[in-house]
């Protein structure tokens, strides 16, 4: 299939997105906003809620204030905390069983992208009485889902506002996406109080995940003035504030600004989509079980190197928005400054320049899967050939020198 056909398919997806625009959840923000969200749940007459989270957050007592607020509001909380990073088909199906046993009349996700994605898949599979694989692709849920709410505890995935749930299939060593407007929560809370105890490594990886969403959606061929404004603003805030919370995890103001920026990036990529960073990251993450945000962070500069001759202008705009260059610099110089800043930021956050776990024997299959995911699906500014993708993954694996940006 040639580039023209890929562009045509992407344009078709863009038209479908405009005809069936994703809803935007009601957003509570600020310290204590999670309690306000619980108040909304109570006001809707919901009295039994499945709380989807993970064991780490439960052990760290991050979820405790939410559970206390639910109890105070007279709402019975049934906790499902078996969610692991990159939720699997089994995690989802066990969650569906837990939902049915609890006879809950709503679902509340509390956590990072994994609990939120798992909760989305749980409500979708419960509505259709099917497995996640049956919903792989676009707009297959079709039936009404239970009322769904989310409280993100990381400023990273933006999953609290997107139409996507990414699920892992360990047997096939792949990830797949359930994409449907019905997966967007009724309401969310961006409560920095629940993010204060995040370890620096998690803060770094999730923050770079949000930055990847902002950058890829900004470079998208489906970007609109509205999505560009959100992507640009999110990029500026993340570059400015992510180092602050990495150094001081209890910086409430910076935590709040990053939570809002992550949400904006999520809203932007819901409409404008992502690109090769995600296409490659999904394959590497599925095979080697590496954190998604970490893999995105490593891959991002290499993909932007590849885009340089096509997308220097928007990258230059990002560089100027972040205060990296003045208006006197040409586009290519400014774009190079932006890519250099991403590499500097990764180093500052303790993120490696390469992923040593990537095995040379796996690269041909990683290339095949990445291109199959991206082509005709993602609105990228420039298409990769097999050789291009191989070169990028070789660089990510540390098996090829960084290409010249001259």
């Amino acid at each position: 299939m040639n580039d023209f056909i890929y562009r045509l398919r992407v344009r078709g997806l863009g038209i479908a997105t405009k005809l069936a625009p994703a809803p935007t959840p009601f957003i509570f923000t600020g310290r204590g906003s999670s309690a306000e969200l619980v108040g909304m749940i109570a006001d809707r007459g919901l009295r039994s809620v499945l709380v989807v989270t993970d064991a780490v957050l439960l052990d760290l007592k991050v979820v405790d204030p939410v559970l206390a607020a639910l109890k105070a509001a007279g709402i019975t909380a049934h906790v499902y905390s078996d969610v692991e990073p990159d939720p699997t088909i089994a995690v989802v199906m066990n969650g569906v069983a837990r939902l049915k046993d609890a006879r809950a009349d709503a679902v509340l996700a509390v956590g990072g992208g994994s609990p939120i994605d798992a909760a989305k898949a749980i409500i979708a599979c419960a509505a259709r009485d099917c497995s996640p694989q049956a919903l792989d692709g676009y707009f297959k849920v079709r039936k009404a889902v239970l009322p769904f709410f989310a409280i993100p505890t990381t400023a990273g995935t933006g999953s609290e506002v997107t139409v996507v749930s990414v699920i892992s299939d360990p047997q096939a060593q792949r990830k797949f996406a359930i994409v449907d407007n019905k997966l967007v929560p009724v309401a969310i809370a961006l409560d920095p109080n629940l993010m204060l105890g995040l370890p620096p490594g998690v803060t770094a990886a999730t923050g770079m995940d949000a930055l990847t969403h902002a950058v890829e959606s900004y470079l998208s061929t489906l970007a609109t003035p509205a999505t560009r404004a959100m992507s640009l603003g999110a990029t500026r805030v993340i570059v400015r504030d992510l180092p602050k919370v990495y150094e001081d995890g209890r910086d409430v103001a910076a935590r709040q600004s990053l939570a809002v920026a992550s949400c904006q990036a999520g809203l932007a990529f819901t409409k404008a989509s992502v690109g090769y960073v995600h296409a490659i990251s999904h394959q590497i993450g599925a095979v080697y079980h590496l954190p998604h945000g970490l893999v995105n962070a490593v891959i991002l500069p290499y993909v932007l190197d590849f885009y340089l001759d096509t997308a220097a202008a928007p990258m230059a705009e990002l560089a100027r928005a972040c205060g990296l260059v003045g208006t006197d610099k040409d586009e290519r110089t400014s774009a190079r400054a932006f890519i250099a800043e991403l590499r500097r930021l990764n180093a500052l956050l303790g993120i490696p320049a390469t992923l040593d776990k990537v095995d040379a024997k796996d690269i041909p299959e990683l290339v095949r899967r990445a291109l199959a995911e991206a082509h005709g699906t993602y609105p990228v500014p420039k298409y990769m050939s097999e050789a291009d993708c191989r070169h990028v993954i070789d660089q990510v694996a540390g098996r090829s020198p960084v290409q010249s940006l001259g």
Side-chain angles (χ1 to χ4, degrees), residues 11-22:
R11 186 173 292 275
L13 288 174
I15 292 171
T17 299
K18 289 180 180 178
L19 291 175

Side-chain angles (χ1 to χ4, degrees), residues 109-112 116 150-158 160 188-192 194-195 259:
V110 182
I116 297 174
I151 303 174
T153 59
T154 64
T157 68
E160 69 274 7
I188 66 171
L190 305 177
D191 189 341
L194 302 186
M195 303 178 186

Side-chain angles (χ1 to χ4, degrees), residues 294-373:
L294 171 69
V295 179
N296 276 354
V298 174
I299 296 172
L300 180 58
Y302 297 108
V303 169
L304 296 189
D305 288 344
F306 169 75
Y307 288 153
L308 187 60
D309 63 346
T310 305
M315 281 192 273
E317 291 165 0
L318 292 173
R320 288 191 286 270
C322 294
L324 303 176
V325 294
T327 55
D328 58 318
K329 299 295 183 182
D330 64 83
E331 289 179 346
R332 193 174 183 86
T333 299
S334 299
R336 288 200 301 266
F338 183 69
I339 298 170
E341 175 64 12
L342 296 181
R343 289 194 161 98
R344 187 197 70 82
L345 189 56
N346 276 345
L348 181 68
L349 300 173
I351 293 171
T354 59
L355 298 171
D356 296 338
K357 289 187 71 172
V358 177
D359 194 318
K361 68 178 175 57
D362 296 328
I363 291 179
E365 181 63 11
L366 295 174
V367 169
R368 186 191 70 78
R369 291 186 180 190
L371 296 183
E373 177 175 323

Side-chain angles (χ1 to χ4, degrees), residues 108-239:
L108 170 61
V110 182
S114 293
I116 297 174
D117 276 7
K120 288 177 174 180
I122 288 167
I123 61 172
C125 292
R128 286 292 309 275
D129 193 23
C130 68
S131 68
Q133 303 98 302
L135 302 178
D136 180 1
Y138 289 81
F139 307 116
K140 294 182 180 179
V141 178
R142 298 184 187 126
K143 293 187 178 180
V145 299
L146 287 176
F148 172 47
F149 306 86
I151 303 174
T153 59
T154 64
T157 68
S159 185
E160 69 274 7
V161 292
T162 73
V163 297
V164 181
S165 170
V166 178
I167 303 301
S168 292
D169 182 348
Q171 188 172 3
Q173 288 194 317
R174 75 179 187 111
K175 292 184 178 182
F176 62 91
I178 302 170
V179 184
D180 200 290
N181 287 351
K182 293 182 174 61
L183 302 184
V184 178
V186 174
I188 66 171
L190 305 177
D191 189 341
N193 284 353
L194 302 186
M195 303 178 186
L196 298 181
L198 282 180
V202 175
T203 295
T206 55
M208 290 303 294
D209 190 16
L211 183 57
T212 303
H213 296 152
V215 173
E216 288 209 290
S217 58
Y218 194 77
L219 302 184
S220 165
T221 59
L222 294 181
T224 66
T227 67
R228 286 193 187 97
M230 289 187 288
S231 301
L232 193 72
T235 300
R236 180 173 57 244
V237 168
I238 296 167
V239 169

Side-chain angles (χ1 to χ4, degrees), residues 52-59 63 80-84 110-112 114-115:
V52 180
T53 186
D54 64 54
V56 173
L57 291 175
L58 208 58
D59 290 343
V63 190
Y80 177 60
S81 61
D82 293 346
V83 179
E84 300 170 347
V110 182
S114 293

Side-chain angles (χ1 to χ4, degrees), residues 44-78:
R44 291 171 67 96
L46 302 168
R47 290 293 176 261
S48 179
V49 174
L50 181 71
V51 178
V52 180
T53 186
D54 64 54
V56 173
L57 291 175
L58 208 58
D59 290 343
L60 292 174
K61 301 189 182 303
V62 172
V63 190
D64 282 8
V66 179
L67 297 178
L70 288 168
K71 184 177 181 179
I75 299 171
T76 301
H78 308 271

